[in-house]
Amino acid sequence: MILVDKDTKVIVQGATGKMGGAHAKRMLDYGTKLVAGVTPGKAGERVHGIPVFDTVQEAVDKTQADCSVIFVPPYLALDAGCEAAEAGIKTIVVITEGIPPQDTVKLVHYLKEKDALLIGPNCPGVISPGACLVGILPGSIFKPGRIGMVSRSGTLTYEIALALSDAGLGQSTCVGIGGDPIKGLDYQTILTLFEKDPGTEAIVLIGEIGGSAEEEAAAFIKEKCKKPVVAYIAGQTAPPGKRMGHAGAIVTGGKGTAQSKIEALNAARVKIASTPSQVAKFVAEVAKLPAKT
Amino acid sequence: MNLYEYEAKQIFAEFGIPIPPSVRITKAEELSKVLFGYPLVLKCQVLSGGRGKAGGVKFPKDLKEGQKIAAELLKLTINGSPTRSLLVEPMLPIKQELYLSITLDRAQGTAIFIASKEGGIEIESSHNVVTMPVPYPYHPFTGRELAKQLGLSGPILVKVADIANKLYKLFEAKDLDLAEINPLIITEGGEVIAGDGKIIVNDDSLARQKTFTGWQESHLDELTDRERRAKLSGLNLVELKGKIGILCNGAGLTMATMDMVKAFGGEPANFLDVGGGSDQDKTLAALDIVNENPDIEVILLNILGGITACDEVASALVKFIKKNPQRQLVVRLRGNNQDLAEKILADSGLKLIKDLEPAVQEAVDRSNSARGKGAPVAAK
């Protein structure tokens, strides 16, 4: 597994909010070592039994947390992320959707200087099934195993994880890198981590229209990846010039099409599936793992 | 949100970027009050691109011709965007035209300058493009470096550098996705002036940019009526030409569902992402707006509940069926609170499909058989 495991100590920024509170409960129920919440002005309260602090620094000092998951409103996310990095947190997962991209540019820059990893924004988080859930992914869909997943989408990741789990193909770690055009960790960083991870046998890459991240990932896979990769690309039927939900999912000036991504990945000898169940079928073939039928 | 040229230029002026004198008119008669002398420039104010090619810019030689042309231009719709007003400007003595813009570069994760010695043409067709990632934090030497790379010198270099710096300042201050000056005109007299202006404001930033409060509704020309209403109520709708209405949660899953509908032999009628964590009311509003499309034969609802609770969706479905008992519906619901959803829907007669691919197949089959009968299923 990569990024998060059973020893990861997690805090929730925005723990007393509706979203933060509800997902804190689900993370705790999953078995995540959730050690604290942070909401300015709410120190001393408890959320589902975990202590709430005013500042991230105080939470880190008291709990030695090393990972933060951020649920604060969009215009407060830049500040929250910087606060976490300043307090020494090294893995920062931003769930919040709708952050102005120029705030994300600043956040990416700040976290790089502090040597902290940014996952997201506008992402479902990270799960190492059976060990740690950080974010909003529905834990019951994921099963422990040896397939690594990386995706720009949330629910599509769940769909494909479901197909894998149903086929008896558990996952080492699943990472949602987010649907925004400007983001933290890219495919290549996650692929590198999976390449080095002895617990990962094969990798599933889930992409979508817009930008050139999949093309860059394809070039990287061609050069650096020894483990087999299966890909799924969403948005083949998307009309050009229209934003398909995610801020980053748009074909402009003929660039960022599903076709271009599929061609690049094909050239890197990545198998492209056309349905979630086909992802599972291809993974079973390339990973030489026994799949249930 | 795209802005009109005249709005972009007002913002340029606020930030000290020189613009030509101009008057905006909404009636041809108003031209008689414009005292710039002839010939002058008449420009359709539209939100779409391709204005020049579509004949939306004219240079009348006197008032009589001007009023005739103005009346024609005011009736022109360019790529779906109707002309509601004209911008009238004097002809400038052009020595050279440049291109200058700032946008966000996804691959590098920064703002980026794009500039060219060839202005007034589409930047995609220019062969002399200079790009420069914008360092964070910003320093004004960036503008000078850019002007230098354009091959400029002397007072023109200083003026272009200053405009580049001001353009960055407004790009950041107003939370823009794009700030573009094309052409950036160098006059015979050595002035540097923004000949045209295009601004795209980042949609996620509108709520904190007080300048643009209340602007959105009048800047959605590129959308259909239903898309516009969906957007204003917080739903993401993109309409296509097909027969199968689609409603999902999550952008990636919605796109994947559309792709599968197509691959299984159906035609998606729309993309509609209700978003994560949608409650009953939002889901019902989404169902209603998809249902309004007269072309659809069947609605495929695909919810994989992560943040979204299946029981909220189920309650919306119960209300929807009550209002629209004849509507063909294929429902795939799975995930969070699925058991509660099944209980809620038990009496509705609606069959829940657990897996995605069989649900897509069912929707395609029903759509095809509806057409086979030659009579689309009526909404009521």
Side-chain angles (χ1 to χ4, degrees):
Chain A
M1 56 188 70
I2 63 168
L3 295 167
V4 299
D5 58 31
K6 64 177 176 39
D7 298 320
T8 305
K9 288 184 175 168
V10 183
I11 62 164
V12 174
Q13 287 177 258
T16 56
K18 188 175 165 232
M19 280 272 288
H23 288 284
K25 168 106 175 49
R26 290 169 72 177
M27 284 185 263
L28 281 167
D29 289 348
Y30 193 77
T32 301
K33 224 172 243 175
L34 193 63
V35 293
V38 174
T39 301
K42 300 272 174 86
E45 290 186 15
R46 294 187 96 79
V47 171
H48 305 294
I50 60 163
V52 175
F53 298 95
D54 283 328
T55 67
V56 178
Q57 191 63 59
E58 195 185 358
V60 169
D61 291 346
K62 298 272 167 62
T63 67
Q64 286 79 52
D66 52 9
C67 175
S68 177
V69 56
I70 295 179
F71 286 95
V72 304
Y75 298 166
L76 305 179
L78 167 60
D79 188 39
C82 292
E83 184 188 358
E86 193 62 45
I89 300 243
K90 293 298 176 201
T91 305
I92 297 168
V93 181
V94 182
I95 307 299
T96 309
E97 180 176 3
I99 299 174
Q102 296 200 39
D103 281 6
T104 310
V105 168
K106 290 169 190 161
L107 183 62
V108 167
H109 181 85
Y110 195 94
L111 267 53
K112 212 172 264 172
E113 300 248 296
K114 297 284 168 193
D115 218 14
L117 299 177
L118 171 65
I119 298 164
N122 186 15
C123 81
V126 188
I127 184 169
S128 292
C132 183
L133 161 65
V134 179
I136 60 173
L137 304 108
S140 62
I141 284 174
F142 298 84
K143 301 281 177 263
R146 302 179 65 78
I147 310 300
M149 281 176 79
V150 56
S151 172
R152 275 167 69 189
S153 158
T155 44
L156 180 56
T157 310
Y158 315 159
E159 190 71 55
I160 291 174
L162 193 62
L164 289 173
S165 296
D166 282 355
L169 297 159
Q171 305 90 41
S172 53
T173 301
C174 301
V175 188
I177 58 175
D180 277 2
I182 310 283
K183 57 166 87 68
L185 294 191
D186 56 12
Y187 284 122
Q188 291 89 301
T189 315
I190 307 294
L191 288 166
T192 307
L193 294 172
F194 279 138
E195 232 355 79
K196 285 190 210 147
D197 173 37
T200 299
E201 204 85 33
I203 302 160
V204 173
L205 182 150
I206 303 164
E208 64 189 34
I209 55 160
S212 58
E214 290 79 5
E215 286 86 337
E216 286 148 29
F220 180 87
I221 291 166
K222 204 172 181 180
E223 290 287 309
K224 304 269 169 68
C225 283
K226 293 198 177 64
K227 293 180 182 174
V229 181
V230 172
Y232 180 93
I233 303 293
Q236 303 197 46
T237 48
K242 297 279 186 180
R243 213 170 279 284
M244 306 303 277
H246 284 159
I250 181 166
V251 172
T252 43
K255 296 211 177 87
T257 62
Q259 201 48 41
S260 146
K261 293 167 191 305
I262 288 169
E263 279 166 20
L265 288 160
N266 269 330
R269 292 184 304 279
V270 172
K271 279 195 105 166
I272 315 281
S274 58
T275 63
S277 68
Q278 201 175 44
V279 174
K281 186 170 161 265
F282 288 170
V283 167
E285 285 169 19
V286 297
K288 299 185 185 69
L289 291 169
K292 282 189 284 186
T293 46
Chain B
M1 179 176 74
N2 283 357
L3 300 191
Y4 290 102
E5 176 193 1
Y6 73 91
E7 294 168 335
K9 282 182 166 169
Q10 279 164 12
I11 295 172
F12 289 169
E14 264 175 56
F15 281 77
I17 295 174
I19 57 166
S22 66
V23 175
R24 190 164 67 97
I25 62 169
T26 54
K27 293 186 192 77
E29 306 84 71
E30 292 173 280
L31 203 57
S32 60
K33 289 181 222 149
V34 179
L35 304 171
F36 293 145
Y38 285 82
L40 46 66
V41 190
L42 291 179
K43 295 192 274 189
C44 291
Q45 296 299 291
V46 287
L47 295 172
S48 56
R51 178 179 66 180
K53 273 184 200 152
V57 180
K58 299 281 184 194
F59 310 94
K61 59 180 191 307
D62 55 36
L63 177 61
K64 195 176 160 219
E65 191 188 51
Q67 286 190 329
K68 182 170 166 282
I69 291 174
E72 288 163 10
L73 289 181
L74 281 163
K75 287 182 204 136
L76 202 60
T77 292
I78 298 174
N79 299 322
S81 183
T83 304
R84 296 192 177 90
S85 64
L86 304 177
L87 198 64
V88 189
E89 291 177 349
M91 286 272 257
L92 296 174
I94 296 170
K95 188 177 173 204
Q96 193 187 347
E97 292 183 314
L98 308 174
Y99 173 94
L100 178 64
S101 74
I102 304 174
T103 187
L104 285 165
D105 183 75
R106 303 169 62 132
Q108 304 192 56
T110 61
I112 189 167
F113 274 115
I114 303 172
S116 171
K117 274 199 307 198
E118 298 169 297
I121 58 169
E122 281 176 32
I123 190 65
E124 288 82 3
S125 56
S126 171
H127 299 292
N128 294 302
V129 177
V130 174
T131 58
M132 186 182 290
V134 174
Y136 181 80
Y138 190 82
H139 294 285
F141 66 77
T142 312
R144 298 195 292 277
E145 184 59 38
L146 184 73
K148 188 80 194 165
Q149 287 193 25
L150 283 172
L152 303 172
S153 61
I156 300 293
L157 175 140
V158 175
K159 283 179 184 171
V160 170
D162 183 53
I163 288 172
N165 289 334
K166 285 169 173 164
L167 197 64
Y168 178 74
K169 200 175 251 178
L170 79 90
F171 177 82
E172 193 184 17
K174 299 287 180 192
D175 273 313
L176 306 185
D177 284 341
L178 174 73
E180 182 187 76
I181 305 175
N182 185 26
L184 180 61
I185 293 170
I186 302 172
T187 67
E188 295 289 354
E191 286 180 285
V192 185
I193 299 174
D196 194 356
K198 184 174 169 66
I199 281 180
I200 304 176
V201 186
N202 181 258
D203 285 343
D204 286 328
S205 308
L206 288 172
R208 73 176 181 188
Q209 288 293 343
K210 301 294 173 241
T211 317
F212 307 118
T213 304
W215 285 37
Q216 198 176 25
E217 204 166 342
S218 59
H219 288 74
L220 293 175
D221 273 353
E222 74 275 25
L223 303 184
T224 66
D225 172 55
R226 280 190 293 272
E227 287 174 341
R228 188 176 306 128
R229 280 189 284 125
K231 183 157 188 153
L232 294 171
S233 57
L235 295 165
N236 253 306
L237 173 69
V238 177
E239 297 205 306
L240 294 104
K241 303 261 179 254
K243 305 280 183 192
I244 301 177
I246 292 171
L247 198 160
C248 298
N249 62 329
L253 185 59
T254 312
M255 281 190 274
T257 305
M258 289 167 63
D259 291 352
M260 267 182 267
V261 162
K262 177 91 176 169
F264 287 14
E267 289 295 336
N270 66 275
F271 166 101
L272 199 158
D273 167 17
V274 288
S278 290
D279 60 6
Q280 228 184 99
D281 292 343
K282 198 169 173 193
T283 309
L284 186 60
L287 276 164
D288 284 340
I289 211 154
V290 170
N291 192 46
E292 272 183 39
N293 181 347
D295 293 339
I296 56 165
E297 294 161 345
V298 53
I299 294 177
L300 169 61
L301 181 118
N302 174 24
I303 300 288
L304 186 56
I307 329 183
T308 310
C310 290
D311 54 323
E312 290 279 336
V313 176
S315 302
L317 275 168
V318 168
K319 285 186 185 159
F320 178 79
I321 295 166
K322 211 168 266 172
K323 281 197 288 181
N324 308 279
Q326 301 301 315
R327 168 56 72 200
Q328 292 273 346
L329 259 177
V330 176
V331 177
R332 189 278 183 126
L333 257 184
R334 192 161 169 181
N336 191 8
N337 293 350
Q338 189 183 329
D339 44 343
L340 290 176
E342 282 165 9
K343 269 182 211 150
I344 292 167
L345 284 168
D347 301 330
S348 70
L350 194 69
K351 186 177 76 174
L352 286 187
I353 302 177
K354 203 173 75 157
D355 290 319
L356 175 56
E357 285 157 50
V360 171
Q361 192 60 60
E362 169 87 19
V364 171
D365 289 349
R366 285 212 218 167
S367 169
N368 287 343
S369 68
R371 216 160 324 147
K373 280 182 254 162
V377 179
K380 290 208 168 111

